[in-house]
Amino acid sequence: MTIRHLKTARSEADRAEDDAKVRSTVEATLADIEARGDAAVRELSEKFDGYAPAAFRLTDGEVEALMNKVSDRDMADIKFAQQQVRNFAQAQRDSMLDIEVETLPGVILGHKNIPVQSVGCYVPGGKFPMVASAHMSVATASVAGVPRIIASTPPFKGEPNPAVIAAMKLGGAHEIYVLGGIQAVGAMALGTETIEPVHMLVGPGNAFVAEAKRQLYGRVGIDLFAGPTETMVIADDTVDGEMCATDLLGQAEHGYNSPAVLVTNSERLARDTLSEIDRLLHILPTADTAGKSWEDYGEVILCDSYDEMLAVANDIASEHVQVMTDRDDWFLEHMHSYGALFLGPRTNVANGDKVIGTNHTLPTKRAGRYTGGLWVGKFLKTHSYQRVTTDEAAAEIGAYCSRLCLLEGFVGHAEQANVRVRRYGGQNVPYGGAAE
């Protein structure tokens, strides 16, 4: 196996050092929010966003006034995109069935899919107003039947962004807050004097938001670790450098630390892509951000074969994987670690980000090795139940249970079974003994 790096990113050691700094900052901030509640939240909002309204929660009148600022065209586009997300989420929900089966005569086992009872949806928006993130979290939670959905987004240029607020409201948010960063996720998870805590946090965010979710996990549920955007392009000579460069920079513009990786078996394509990136960075309005990401986190990996390309891609487990080759379906069949796949040159990651219907809240930092992205099932808890309907079944399963409990030395457990064997099976089982 011969794999060459025509461009490398910052070392893992440097990235780990950055993570450690973020971790320390988040830990102290969450402790402050837990100790001082609303006062800490207000100070943080003033410090980082320059925003200190009378109340962070919007009233129904304020929401309506903001929605009236959205143009008819923008509102129609928001509704179209949201409907695509709802349609796919509903199809996923319909695939999740409650079941009940009789596994033995008189033994009934089942499970029910029950919505999480309260969810806090974080919608990023400090640098760019992430309208689509409201569809992905709020609308999907609504399809799942979550009875209390609260949504929070930072102010954009010092005030609530009308389009983001409209998307939250249309998506089904019951409470809307204009609050960003660690203070938002901390307040939703820990609760304050004015914000009732939720059972689960969802939504993407920057490194600080992702780390806050990680530290809060256990106190509340989370969807997944969705940190700074990552993208990978897997390509061969069926596409050109302009296409690959556009797809890499299109995601690199998210932030200064958004990894973008080209994996190819074509040196010509690799070098053409590098040239195109240089050209596009001279005309892209967000080049300051995208260029910094590409400089520090961009990679070009040249492989000898498709098998090598597959192995590299599965090892990196990128959040977004754009596949443009002569065997896209082969990659679909064999890839096992990623956030979402975008197959063929006719689609792209931005489609998934904004409109096509699949969810854009996806695993980062190699979490795709053990989890998929946000979907309607994340908002549902599968709970089992059992019942025994006949005396015969109670005695039969009880006798097995009695003996198996004593095999492990659990006499108290065995007696739970024995008392039923005695009552429903008519056996005189000695206390602490094994049923026959």
Side-chain angles (χ1 to χ4, degrees):
M1 177 181 285
T2 303
I3 297 173
R4 288 189 290 150
H5 286 72
L6 300 190
K7 184 188 181 306
T8 57
R10 295 183 71 202
S11 70
E12 289 298 324
D14 287 342
R15 298 191 198 193
E17 184 178 345
D18 290 344
D19 290 345
K21 293 176 182 176
V22 170
R23 187 160 54 248
S24 176
T25 299
V26 170
E27 185 174 10
T29 304
L30 290 176
D32 189 30
I33 292 170
E34 186 167 24
R36 298 194 299 122
D38 284 333
V41 168
R42 180 166 292 278
E43 287 177 15
L44 289 162
S45 181
E46 288 183 281
K47 177 180 179 180
F48 292 108
D49 293 322
Y51 186 70
F56 290 104
R57 181 176 175 177
L58 296 178
T59 65
D60 289 343
E62 288 171 328
V63 170
E64 183 178 359
L66 287 162
M67 291 180 69
N68 287 336
K69 294 181 179 180
V70 181
S71 71
D72 291 344
R73 178 62 179 269
D74 287 345
M75 188 67 79
D77 287 346
I78 289 169
K79 289 179 178 179
F80 176 84
Q82 201 160 98
Q83 191 59 52
Q84 308 320 302
V85 174
R86 283 187 176 275
N87 289 345
F88 189 56
Q90 188 63 58
Q92 292 178 309
R93 178 65 185 92
D94 292 343
S95 74
M96 301 179 67
L97 304 177
D98 293 352
I99 64 169
E100 184 173 280
V101 295
E102 189 171 22
T103 57
L104 292 169
V107 175
I108 308 298
L109 307 180
H111 77 225
K112 294 182 64 178
N113 294 299
I114 301 173
V116 174
Q117 293 300 287
S118 59
V119 171
C121 301
Y122 185 71
V123 178
K127 183 182 286 290
F128 300 103
M130 298 286 285
V131 177
S133 286
H135 317 327
M136 306 300 171
S137 57
V138 178
T140 306
S142 179
V143 171
V146 176
R148 178 181 175 237
I149 303 169
I150 77 173
S152 189
T153 190
F156 181 70
K157 297 181 179 178
E159 59 186 17
N161 181 270
V164 174
I165 302 305
M168 288 173 161
K169 182 63 176 178
L170 293 171
H174 304 110
E175 303 167 29
I176 296 176
Y177 296 83
V178 182
L179 197 57
I182 307 170
Q183 58 270 30
V185 294
M188 289 192 289
L190 300 171
T192 70
E193 298 91 327
T194 59
I195 302 175
E196 182 184 346
V198 297
H199 296 169
M200 184 179 186
L201 288 172
V202 301
N206 62 21
F208 292 92
V209 168
E211 175 60 19
K213 287 171 62 181
R214 189 191 71 80
Q215 291 188 23
L216 289 163
Y217 178 59
R219 293 284 292 268
V220 295
I222 65 170
D223 47 0
L224 60 150
F225 301 129
T229 291
E230 304 167 352
T231 200
M232 171 182 287
V233 173
I234 299 174
D236 61 15
D237 276 325
T238 59
V239 290
D240 57 39
E242 181 188 26
M243 183 83 81
C244 294
T246 299
D247 287 339
L248 290 166
L249 293 179
Q251 294 300 304
E253 74 176 358
H254 264 285
Y256 68 91
N257 57 350
S258 297
V261 182
L262 172 65
V263 179
T264 184
N265 56 0
S266 167
E267 185 164 354
R268 181 197 62 80
L269 177 64
R271 298 197 181 281
D272 285 352
T273 299
L274 287 168
S275 296
E276 281 294 309
I277 286 173
D278 288 342
R279 181 182 70 82
L280 291 174
L281 284 174
H282 283 92
I283 58 175
L284 181 67
T286 54
D288 285 350
T289 302
K292 183 61 176 172
S293 274
W294 179 248
E295 178 185 351
D296 289 346
Y297 292 90
E299 295 184 68
V300 176
I301 302 174
L302 183 61
C303 302
D304 283 340
S305 67
Y306 290 100
D307 285 331
E308 285 183 358
M309 293 163 68
L310 176 68
V312 168
N314 276 326
D315 181 62
I316 292 175
S318 183
E319 177 189 14
H320 305 102
V321 180
Q322 173 85 39
V323 183
M324 298 182 289
T325 68
D326 65 6
R327 58 197 71 192
D328 298 343
D329 286 342
W330 181 83
F331 280 96
L332 173 62
E333 180 181 355
H334 291 94
M335 283 201 68
H336 53 67
S337 298
Y338 55 89
L341 291 181
F342 304 81
L343 299 167
R346 292 180 179 83
T347 193
N348 65 85
V349 175
N351 278 348
D353 280 346
K354 309 302 178 188
V355 67
I356 208 165
T358 53
N359 207 290
H360 80 193
T361 303
L362 301 166
T364 62
K365 293 193 172 183
R366 303 183 75 203
R369 295 172 300 162
Y370 57 82
T371 186
L374 182 61
W375 69 298
V376 72
K378 291 278 189 178
F379 297 102
L380 295 160
K381 306 170 294 163
T382 302
H383 294 278
S384 65
Y385 63 88
Q386 60 172 270
R387 67 167 65 92
V388 177
T389 60
T390 67
D391 293 350
E392 294 79 10
E396 180 185 6
I397 205 76
Y400 278 102
C401 182
S402 171
R403 296 191 295 271
L404 289 167
C405 290
L406 290 173
L407 180 64
E408 297 179 359
F410 285 110
V411 176
H413 284 61
E415 276 303 305
Q416 290 181 264
N418 287 344
V419 71
R420 286 159 176 84
V421 173
R422 296 183 193 112
R423 294 190 181 192
Y424 297 110
Q427 289 188 39
N428 185 19
V429 183
Y431 187 87
E436 296 298 324

